[in-house]
Amino acid sequence: MRRQEIEAEVRYPGRTLYTQQALDRATAVLDELYAAAERQGLTYDDFRLSGLAGPAIYAVRVHWQAAGPPAGSEALRALVDSLAAALTARNLTATVETERGMPYVAVARTAAMPALGPNNRASIWVGLTGDDPERGTGWSAAVDLPRGGPGCDIVASYDEPGVAAVADVITAFAEGRVSNPFRL
């Protein structure tokens, strides 16, 4: 039931892709919040209307953004290389590219991918960003256009489980199984 609350909270995610890892972590946080309430004599029905699912998923997102990826270009490159390998293992064409010193993964267009870009045939890139103080550091993806297209945040940790979670959500997007976060 608590997982349903988290999923309802992210039903219309806007420009964010929530990984299963993030949803699992937020569900665990929500479980703990309800357990704390029950220890104080509140029942599930007393407490569920307080709307804690939103703060639980937001707290997970902010925590990972604040922690940021490992410092150093070698560590960042290792994460991006690992992501490219994970996407390739999921039958996507993924190559590591570098722009302005930052590595990212170029993911080739698939037949099931939603229409992207002015010609509806654009591909996407996935990587780590951190140049916008308003958003913090984190996984992100964008439509691969000559000057950069609309982008989205991806909520996941900066380790191998996070890499796998990002690869899973990008694969789901490439297969048309998640909503399009790049719509303008």
Side-chain angles (χ1 to χ4, degrees):
M1 192 179 311
R2 289 160 186 160
R3 177 56 173 248
Q4 291 170 338
E5 290 178 59
I6 295 295
E7 288 176 359
E9 192 64 35
V10 300
R11 184 169 293 129
Y12 305 106
R15 293 188 182 258
T16 303
L17 288 172
Y18 290 96
T19 63
Q20 289 302 310
Q21 178 194 43
L23 299 176
D24 292 345
R25 180 111 187 250
T27 299
V29 168
L30 191 57
D31 285 342
E32 290 294 323
L33 291 170
Y34 280 126
E38 288 170 6
R39 286 191 299 273
Q40 296 301 316
L42 298 171
T43 67
Y44 173 78
D45 286 333
D46 293 332
F47 207 62
R48 74 177 167 80
L49 298 177
S50 64
L52 288 179
I57 191 70
Y58 184 74
V60 168
R61 179 180 181 171
V62 168
H63 173 76
W64 281 333
Q65 284 178 334
S73 60
E74 288 178 22
L76 292 177
R77 179 61 190 239
L79 277 175
V80 171
D81 287 343
S82 184
L83 177 60
L87 289 167
T88 299
R90 288 161 175 81
N91 299 314
L92 294 175
T93 302
T95 56
V96 177
E97 306 286 339
T98 303
E99 186 173 316
R100 288 182 252 152
M102 288 295 292
Y104 66 94
V105 179
V107 181
R109 178 157 192 78
T110 66
M113 199 177 277
L116 300 169
N119 63 5
N120 295 328
R121 295 188 307 264
S123 57
I124 62 170
W125 66 261
V126 184
L128 294 158
T129 59
D131 56 354
D132 185 348
E134 295 290 318
R135 291 174 50 216
T137 301
W139 290 105
S140 64
V143 176
D144 191 19
L145 298 172
R147 292 193 182 111
C152 72
D153 294 329
I154 304 169
V155 183
S157 62
Y158 309 106
D159 52 16
E160 286 305 313
V163 166
V166 171
D168 287 343
V169 78
I170 292 299
T171 300
F173 173 77
E175 293 173 351
R177 294 185 285 120
V178 296
S179 57
N180 184 355
F182 304 115
R183 279 183 258 153
L184 293 173

